[in-house]
């Protein structure tokens, strides 16, 4: 009987050198669920570090409430000059008969004389800031999907915010001040969307909703801290510097420890880098990704006949970068209607949210306390919507929270008196309105992220944020109308937004698609079930 001779070379050959191997292809969501963990230590650390950027956005956005406020005034006490503190406005008093409490450096209104016929300039500079946000959201939404990536965009906007914020404090006149606020708005428009997508993309589908809703705690926390900073730094120039320093600290201390999104690496064809991030996630979470498991785009996973040739040196395949734009979103009937609805709802929601935030100047209450209470009121809204998010879904919450806010705004418009208990009642209506709309505003981010695939996600989110900033641009001109008119406008917008939300699809427990083709295939299959 002839004995079989062993192949002495076989122990020296790796499987990939001896033959071409087939690998199991998984999309990122499946790999997170099976091998990495959906929300472990790595995701928690990454989420907390990245979401700190939201506090920076709160600083740069709401600083205008304090910097552009109209300070209290008093009679100067000069003999022979008529002055009465019972006057409703200083516009009818003789020059020199009155003075600002806290001095002319306390706010831009006092230093640049933005009163009487010049009062419109207060609304103008605030509108310019939100106009800059609208432009920046579109620009950085595209850049974060393409060349810069999520982390690169966040790095860029934080550098610009720190620079423009400090330069704003040096403004010699009103128009220079307006220019730097426009530029600050441009960079601020990219902070939220870059931080939100970067923080939530590495998280598994079952935990992404609650995590996404939690990012806004940092925004509200930033506003609450800002009210304390404004109380400490009573001059507007010092306040702008104090609110810009945290951006520098974020760049130096926090951002170096933040990783780029593996989803962005994947759609840019950098599969090896995406796999390295996934291995880090698994290792930090106490898990392991077996050999032969490779990342793939969702449309490639759906193609069960596709075979991957594993590179024998790296074990990873290289792909061509897949790109997308708003043109692709508009070409697809599925995403086109979603984009139109997301844009309209974000616009209406922004009018209510920023309107109620800026309208505190019309309520006749302590400005620092009112801003603090509004910020604190937002936090239980985030908690409640996060708890109910996976129980009732995105759509019912989007409808309910907008209607809740709209109803209390309508009630606030009916309270015509401006003294005693009526002042407190109007303030409570404003706080409850903020409570409801904060939940919506928070929800809309995670909702919009889930409505679009990775390849166009930031572009679509940037478009929605642009619409929100367009609403914010109009808000200062609504607020200056005073009386009950702002509350009426905010109430109508809240109810209308809830009606539009009826036409959005539910995204609860649906996968986060990578490509347009993957979404169309997946949604088509779901519709046929």
């Amino acid at each position: 009987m002839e004995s079989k001779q062993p192949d002495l070379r076989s122990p020296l050959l790796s499987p990939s050198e001896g033959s071409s191997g087939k690998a199991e292809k998984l999309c990122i969501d499946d790999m997170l669920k099976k091998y990495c963990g959906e929300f472990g230590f790595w995701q928690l650390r990454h989420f907390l570090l990245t979401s700190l950027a939201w506090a920076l956005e709160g600083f740069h956005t709401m600083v205008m409430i304090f910097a552009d406020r109209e300070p209290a005034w008093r009679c100067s006490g000069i003999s022979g000059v008529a002055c009465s503190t019972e006057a409703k406005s200083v516009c009818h008093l003789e020059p020199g008969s009155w003075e600002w409490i806290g001095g002319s450096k306390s706010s831009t209104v006092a230093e640049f004389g933005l009163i009487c016929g010049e009062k419109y300039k207060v609304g103008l500079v605030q509108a310019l800031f939100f106009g800059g946000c609208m432009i920046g959201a579109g620009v950085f939404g595209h850049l974060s999907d393409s060349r810069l990536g999520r982390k690169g965009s966040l790095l860029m906007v934080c550098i610009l915010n720190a620079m423009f914020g400090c330069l704003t404090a040096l403004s010699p006149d009103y128009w220079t001040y307006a220019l730097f606020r426009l530029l600050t708005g441009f960079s601020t428009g990219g902070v939220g969307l870059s931080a939100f997508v970067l923080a939530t993309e590495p998280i598994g589908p079952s935990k992404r909703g609650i995590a996404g809703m939690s990012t806004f705690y940092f925004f509200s926390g930033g506003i609450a801290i800002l009210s304390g900073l404004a109380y400490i730094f009573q001059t507007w120039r010092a306040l702008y510097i104090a609110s810009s320093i945290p951006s520098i600290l974020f760049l130096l201390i926090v951002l170096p420890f933040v990783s780029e999104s593996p989803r962005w690496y994947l759609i840019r064809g950098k599969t090896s880098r995406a796999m390295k991030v996934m291995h880090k996630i698994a290792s930090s979470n106490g898990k392991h990704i077996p050999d032969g498991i490779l990342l793939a785009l969702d449309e490639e996973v759906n193609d069960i006949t596709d075979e991957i040739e594993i590179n024998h040196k790296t074990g990873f395949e290289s792909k061509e970068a897949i790109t997308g734009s708003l043109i692709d979103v508009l070409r697809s009937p599925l995403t086109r209607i979603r984009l139109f609805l997301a844009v309209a709802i974000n616009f209406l929601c922004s009018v209510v949210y920023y309107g109620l935030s800026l309208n505190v100047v019309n309520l006749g209450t302590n400005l620092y306390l009112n801003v603090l209470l509004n910020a604190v009121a937002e936090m239980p809204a985030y908690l409640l919507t996060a708890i109910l998010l996976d129980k009732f879904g995105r759509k019912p919450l989007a409808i309910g929270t907008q209607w809740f806010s709209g109803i209390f705004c309508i009630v606030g418009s009916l309270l015509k008196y401006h003294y005693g208990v009526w002042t407190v009642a109007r303030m409570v209506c404003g706080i409850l309105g903020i409570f409801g709309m904060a939940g919506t505003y928070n929800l809309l981010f995670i909702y919009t992220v889930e409505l679009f695939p990775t390849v166009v996600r930031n572009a679509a989110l940037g478009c929605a944020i642009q619409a929100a900033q367009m609403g914010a641009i109009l808000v200062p001109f609504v607020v200056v109308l005073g009386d009950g008119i702002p509350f009426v406008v905010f109430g109508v917008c809240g109810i209308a937004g809830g009606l539009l939300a009826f036409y959005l699809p539910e995204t609860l427990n649906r996968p986060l698609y990578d490509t347009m083709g993957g979404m169309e295939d997946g949604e088509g299959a779901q519709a046929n079930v």
Side-chain angles (χ1 to χ4, degrees):
M1 186 174 180
E2 187 177 289
S3 62
K4 185 177 179 181
Q5 295 296 322
D7 185 356
L8 298 178
R9 297 180 305 154
S10 56
L12 304 177
L13 293 174
S14 65
S16 59
E17 288 174 308
S19 62
S20 347
K22 293 182 181 179
E24 179 186 2
K25 295 187 298 179
L26 294 175
C27 64
I28 287 182
D29 278 351
D30 289 339
M31 188 173 288
L32 288 170
K33 287 188 288 187
K34 292 182 69 174
Y35 299 113
C36 300
E38 295 193 62
F39 194 77
F41 174 78
W42 190 96
Q43 286 102 331
L44 176 61
R45 172 181 166 275
H46 181 264
F47 173 83
L48 292 175
L49 292 176
T50 307
S51 297
L52 287 173
W54 277 99
L56 307 179
E57 180 169 352
F59 291 161
H60 291 287
T61 301
M62 296 304 178
V63 67
M64 68 179 71
I65 297 176
F66 303 102
D68 299 339
R69 76 188 190 281
E70 183 174 322
W73 59 275
R74 63 192 173 195
C75 293
S76 59
I78 300 177
S79 61
V81 180
C83 177
S84 174
T85 55
E86 295 181 359
K88 294 183 178 180
S89 169
V90 299
C91 297
H92 303 294
L93 299 177
E94 295 183 32
S97 65
W98 60 276
E99 62 184 5
W100 296 112
I101 296 177
S104 62
K105 304 295 184 181
S106 58
S107 79
T108 58
V109 170
E111 182 165 343
F112 299 139
L114 308 181
I115 55 175
C116 305
E118 300 290 303
K119 192 172 184 178
Y120 75 94
K121 290 183 178 180
V122 177
L124 177 60
V125 72
Q126 293 175 355
L128 286 173
F129 172 82
F130 288 118
C133 288
M134 182 182 69
I135 299 171
V139 171
F140 288 106
H142 173 72
L143 290 177
S144 63
D145 276 338
S146 54
R147 293 186 177 275
L148 287 183
R150 281 69 160 124
K151 182 179 177 180
S153 294
L154 188 57
L155 172 68
M156 180 63 68
V157 295
C158 285
I159 292 174
L160 294 177
N161 262 348
M163 180 174 66
F164 293 142
C166 291
L167 289 174
T168 302
L170 305 177
S171 302
D173 53 54
Y174 169 79
W175 292 110
T176 305
Y177 172 69
L179 173 62
F180 282 127
R181 285 303 285 163
L182 172 67
L183 294 174
T184 304
F186 173 76
S187 55
T188 301
V191 173
L193 71 92
S194 298
F196 184 85
V197 175
L198 182 58
T200 56
E201 281 193 336
I203 297 173
S206 68
K207 308 296 183 183
R208 191 180 301 122
I210 293 179
M213 297 287 285
S214 300
T215 58
F216 288 85
Y217 284 110
F218 297 86
F219 183 76
S220 299
I223 298 174
I225 294 172
L226 177 66
S227 64
L229 288 175
Y231 186 79
I232 296 171
F233 298 96
Q234 292 284 321
T235 64
W236 70 271
R237 294 182 187 274
L239 181 58
Y240 269 111
I241 293 176
S243 61
S244 299
I245 289 176
S247 294
I248 301 174
L249 297 178
F250 181 84
L251 285 168
L252 298 177
I253 300 174
V254 177
L255 204 55
F257 300 99
V258 173
S259 298
E260 180 58 89
S261 169
R263 294 182 188 274
W264 181 79
Y265 279 140
L266 185 60
I267 64 170
R268 296 298 296 174
K270 301 176 181 180
T271 314
S272 61
R273 293 188 181 182
M275 278 300 298
K276 287 180 181 178
V277 175
M278 298 302 287
H279 278 289
K280 287 181 180 179
I281 295 174
S283 177
S284 296
N285 293 346
K287 297 179 179 293
H288 173 68
I289 300 177
D291 294 336
I293 304 297
L294 293 183
L295 274 177
L297 297 170
D298 44 26
E299 64 181 10
E300 295 172 334
V301 174
N302 292 334
D303 184 4
I304 61 174
T305 62
D306 184 39
E307 294 186 0
I308 303 176
E309 185 72 27
I310 305 176
N311 184 295
H312 71 277
K313 293 183 180 179
T314 65
F316 306 124
E317 62 169 339
S318 297
K319 298 184 179 69
E320 293 294 326
I322 297 178
T323 59
S325 67
L326 284 177
I327 301 299
D328 300 304
V329 177
L330 294 173
R331 282 174 180 164
S332 170
L334 177 66
T335 53
R336 182 168 58 237
I337 185 63
R338 293 184 178 189
L339 182 65
F340 289 155
L341 289 171
V343 163
I345 294 172
N346 273 273
F347 173 85
L348 296 171
C349 181
S350 176
V351 170
V352 182
Y353 178 79
Y354 286 110
L356 290 172
S357 298
L358 298 181
N359 197 49
V360 294
V361 298
N362 291 327
L363 299 181
T365 57
N366 183 287
L367 186 61
Y368 304 100
L369 178 62
N370 209 327
V371 171
L372 176 62
L373 290 177
N374 280 353
V376 171
E378 296 177 16
M379 296 184 183
Y382 302 151
L383 176 62
L384 187 61
T385 47
I387 292 173
L388 300 178
L389 184 68
D390 290 333
K391 183 175 182 180
F392 295 104
R394 283 66 165 147
K395 184 174 178 178
L397 281 182
I399 297 169
T401 52
Q402 289 185 89
W403 282 359
F404 180 91
S405 179
I407 289 171
F408 276 101
C409 288
I410 295 295
V411 172
S413 70
L414 301 176
L415 303 176
K416 301 294 185 180
Y417 301 103
H418 299 272
Y419 56 84
V421 69
W422 299 106
T423 299
V424 176
R426 283 166 65 88
M427 183 181 74
V428 170
C429 285
I431 291 173
L432 290 174
I434 279 258
F435 172 85
M437 196 51 64
T440 311
Y441 211 72
N442 187 6
L443 170 66
L444 282 181
F445 264 81
I446 189 65
Y447 206 172
T448 305
V449 162
E450 293 177 343
L451 286 172
F452 300 95
T454 302
V455 71
V456 295
R457 184 170 298 124
N458 258 27
L461 185 59
C463 191
I465 293 177
Q466 280 184 297
Q469 301 305 339
M470 179 63 74
I473 289 172
L474 302 178
V475 161
F477 301 108
V478 175
V479 171
V480 297
L481 297 176
D483 294 326
I485 297 176
F487 271 119
V488 172
V489 174
F490 305 151
V492 171
C493 288
I495 293 172
L499 291 173
L500 289 176
F502 270 104
Y503 298 96
L504 284 174
E506 179 57 69
T507 59
L508 178 62
N509 294 327
R510 298 292 300 142
L512 202 60
Y513 295 102
D514 292 321
T515 64
M516 295 291 291
M519 169 170 276
E520 291 172 355
D521 292 342
E523 294 297 299
Q526 178 69 17
N528 294 328
V529 174

